[in-house]
Amino acid sequence: MLSHVDENQQPRMVDVGDKAITRRVARAQARVSFPADVAAALRDAGYVTPKGAVITVAQIAGVMGAKATPQLIPLCHPLAIERCNLDIHIEGDDAVIECEVACRGTTGVEMEALTGASIAALTIYDMCKAMSHAMVIGDVRLLSKSGGKRDIDLTEPTP
């Protein structure tokens, strides 16, 4: 049985009350691909547009998104997030966003990390859309998680 449905296939929030409190950490990634001319213009402008400092604003938005996850995804538990770090770096014509979230709790922070990375990507799009609507947001994925039933590292090739 799936954990978010009951015996009648109705949605439910998972009961995590009996699970052990452990340190939970998750890392997620998203990527914004810019058209070559937009990437060049952003580099030349130091990643500042008329709306402001793109990377800085996206980092703040990503933290806000991670914190708002239970308001956006109906069956997510509200968590006391202890840390949320957003790293945004440029690879060629792409902005690569990595969001790492940590807490001590009875459930993981994968959705918070994925939401943080996604909201940061959407913010970059919003801040740059006056330059082009041809940007592509993609490669939103979980990179790793630890502290629950099993640790997962999706950055390593599987045997």
Side-chain angles (χ1 to χ4, degrees):
M1 179 167 79
L2 297 173
S3 62
H4 283 80
V5 295
D6 66 16
E7 61 278 351
N8 297 317
Q9 302 304 304
Q10 296 300 306
R12 68 176 179 137
M13 182 181 267
V14 175
D15 182 353
V16 296
D18 293 330
K19 292 173 71 176
I21 294 173
T22 60
R23 177 87 170 151
R24 312 286 183 131
V25 180
R27 284 186 322 118
Q29 173 183 284
R31 183 177 293 263
V32 180
S33 298
F34 301 103
D37 61 327
V38 173
L42 285 169
R43 276 191 294 277
D44 292 346
Y47 294 90
V48 175
T49 69
K51 288 188 170 187
V54 174
I55 304 301
T56 302
V57 174
Q59 287 171 317
I60 294 167
V63 171
M64 291 174 69
K67 291 169 35 176
T69 299
Q71 285 78 45
L72 300 169
I73 302 174
L75 301 177
C76 283
H77 293 82
L79 301 174
I81 293 174
E82 295 172 350
R83 177 169 44 90
C84 181
N85 291 334
L86 265 109
D87 174 62
I88 302 174
H89 60 277
I90 305 302
E91 290 181 4
D93 292 344
D94 295 355
V96 180
I97 302 149
E98 287 192 18
C99 180
E100 183 176 87
V101 178
C103 77
R104 283 182 187 79
T106 56
T107 189
V109 288
E110 301 96 85
M111 296 311 300
E112 287 73 11
L114 286 160
T115 301
S118 298
I119 294 298
L122 289 166
T123 300
I124 290 171
Y125 187 99
D126 178 56
M127 295 195 67
C128 300
K129 69 184 178 195
M131 301 170 79
S132 172
H133 285 89
M135 295 170 286
V136 175
I137 296 172
D139 197 25
V140 178
R141 64 191 187 107
L142 182 69
L143 296 174
S144 64
K145 74 171 211 69
S146 63
K149 224 184 270 188
R150 62 182 181 264
D151 294 348
I152 297 172
D153 185 350
L154 299 169
T155 63
E156 298 294 321
T158 53

